[in-house]
């Protein structure tokens, strides 16, 4: 049986309170998932990758620097060892005296040359012809047939018998584009004299130079009277008396030495194959080496000086 009324028709229906049905945004009512809570922003990931890359690069640079320092140290130790080995080879070969008198054996020569080559490949200065290390006072330890040292020795032994004259040492002073090679002579173990060969140097490349002989000078002998043999003292007194009786200009000329002008007619090309603060190695056009050791203190600077050169 149907009722003739509905709840909307009840007289008190309008007085009933209505439920608040205001809708809230679904986003406020939805909890985030665990995955979204752990999600890292994209820019943070990029920063993390950049930091990792920077640390890797820094580690690689540090490792390379350590390896480079170790290699440089090892090479320097090898160079110092090669220098010491070469100086010992000179001593084993009999030194300067054996060299100028021709008493060096073939085995000793090849041993010295082998050690020279070993040192040359470790040359620390790429442009030795313009390096400040080149200038200074040097002493010849080894030389060949075409060197000024051999020229001086040959001149002495051709002029005087070996029983009367000896070549005790050979030095060179390199300064301001000139070289003065001094051959120290000793006659009958009592009279000291020097033969000085002056040359002009010109740079023709980072390794190559040209040398022109300007003049040679025989200095006046210096006598140590205490070492004169008894049988020669009378002749020495007579020679001194004769010199004192000479006219002034002639006596002064004798005192200043005998000059032999060369005028640059004799010249040679050579290459500097090794240079440091202690050793200088030169090779002539035939490849024959000359080895010199420094006598004076080396320049304070460690840097190679670069200047223009003639081509």
């Amino acid at each position: 049986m149907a009722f003739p009324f509905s709840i909307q028709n009840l007289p008190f229906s309008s007085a009933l309170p209505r439920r608040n049905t205001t809708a809230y945004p679904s986003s406020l009512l939805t909890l985030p998932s665990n995955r979204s809570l752990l999600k890292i922003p994209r820019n943070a990931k990029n920063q993390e990758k950049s930091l990792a890359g920077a640390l890797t690069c820094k580690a690689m640079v540090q490792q390379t620097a350590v390896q480079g320092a170790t290699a440089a140290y090892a090479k320097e130790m090898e160079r110092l060892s090669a220098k010491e080995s070469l100086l010992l080879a000179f001593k084993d070969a009999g030194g300067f005296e054996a060299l100028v008198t021709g008493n060096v054996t073939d085995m000793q020569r090849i041993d010295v040359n082998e050690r020279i080559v070993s040192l040359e490949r470790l040359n620390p200065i790429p442009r030795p012809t313009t390096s400040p290390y080149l200038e200074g006072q040097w002493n010849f330890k080894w030389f060949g047939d075409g060197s000024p040292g051999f020229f001086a020795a040959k001149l002495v032994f051709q002029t005087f018998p070996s029983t009367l004259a000896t070549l005790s040492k050979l030095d060179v002073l390199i300064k301001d584009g000139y070289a003065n090679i001094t051959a120290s002579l000793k006659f009958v173990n009592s009279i000291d004299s020097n033969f000085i060969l002056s040359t002009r140097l010109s740079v023709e490349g980072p390794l190559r130079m040209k040398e022109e002989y300007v003049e040679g000078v025989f200095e006046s002998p210096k006598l140590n009277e205490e070492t004169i043999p008894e049988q020669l003292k009378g002749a020495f007194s007579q020679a001194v008396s004769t010199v004192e009786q000479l006219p002034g200009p002639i006596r002064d000329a004798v005192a200043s030495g005998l000059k032999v002008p060369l005028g640059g007619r004799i010249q040679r090309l050579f290459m500097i194959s090794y240079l440091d603060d202690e050793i200088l190695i030169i090779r002539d056009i035939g490849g024959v080496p000359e080895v010199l050791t420094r006598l004076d203190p080396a320049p304070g600077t460690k840097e190679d000086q670069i200047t223009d050169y003639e081509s």
Side-chain angles (χ1 to χ4, degrees), residues 80-300:
L80 295 177
S81 177
K83 287 171 60 173
E84 183 179 1
S85 177
L86 177 59
L87 296 176
L88 288 175
F90 292 150
K91 185 176 180 180
D92 292 341
F96 183 82
E97 181 179 357
L99 182 64
V100 297
T101 55
N103 292 327
V104 179
T105 66
D106 291 341
M107 184 62 68
Q108 290 169 335
R109 287 184 182 276
I110 195 65
D111 181 52
V112 169
N113 286 326
E114 182 180 6
R115 298 176 195 231
I116 290 174
V117 172
S118 297
L119 183 58
E120 285 174 326
R121 66 183 180 85
L122 300 171
N123 180 31
I125 298 179
R127 296 174 58 94
T129 57
T130 54
S131 171
Y133 282 150
L134 181 60
E135 294 195 344
Q137 187 81 25
W138 299 87
N139 172 247
F140 280 86
K141 290 291 186 182
W142 191 265
F143 52 80
D145 294 347
S147 70
F150 181 80
F151 177 80
K154 184 178 180 181
L155 181 62
V156 170
F157 295 131
Q158 284 181 346
T159 306
F160 308 99
S162 58
T163 55
L164 296 179
T166 57
L167 179 63
S168 58
K169 66 175 182 175
L170 192 64
D171 301 334
V172 57
L173 173 62
I174 302 175
K175 186 72 175 177
D176 298 330
Y178 285 86
N180 289 329
I181 299 103
T182 302
S184 298
L185 313 175
K186 186 177 286 293
F187 298 92
V188 293
N189 293 325
S190 303
I191 303 174
D192 294 325
S193 181
N194 291 328
F195 173 70
I196 301 176
L197 180 63
S198 298
T199 69
R200 181 169 51 248
L201 303 175
S202 57
V203 178
E204 297 202 335
L207 303 178
R208 189 178 65 206
M209 300 190 77
K210 181 170 69 174
E211 184 176 39
E212 301 172 274
Y213 296 2
V214 178
E215 70 174 7
V217 178
F218 277 105
E219 290 186 343
S220 180
K222 299 176 182 179
L223 181 64
N224 184 357
E225 297 185 23
E226 297 179 355
T227 60
I228 299 178
E230 289 294 333
Q231 61 271 25
L232 296 179
K233 286 186 176 180
F236 169 71
S237 299
Q238 184 177 359
V240 171
S241 177
T242 302
V243 171
E244 290 177 349
Q245 295 175 6
L246 293 173
I250 298 177
R251 188 170 60 250
D252 293 340
V254 171
S256 61
L258 175 63
K259 294 184 178 181
V260 181
L262 300 174
R265 294 187 299 271
I266 303 175
Q267 57 184 245
R268 68 166 185 158
L269 293 172
F270 64 86
M271 178 187 69
I272 300 177
S273 57
Y274 181 90
L275 175 65
D276 65 14
D277 58 337
E278 295 179 322
I279 290 182
L280 168 65
I281 301 178
I282 293 172
R283 287 188 179 271
D284 61 16
I285 57 175
V288 179
E290 303 167 23
V291 183
L292 302 88
T293 57
R294 183 179 292 277
L295 296 176
D296 58 351

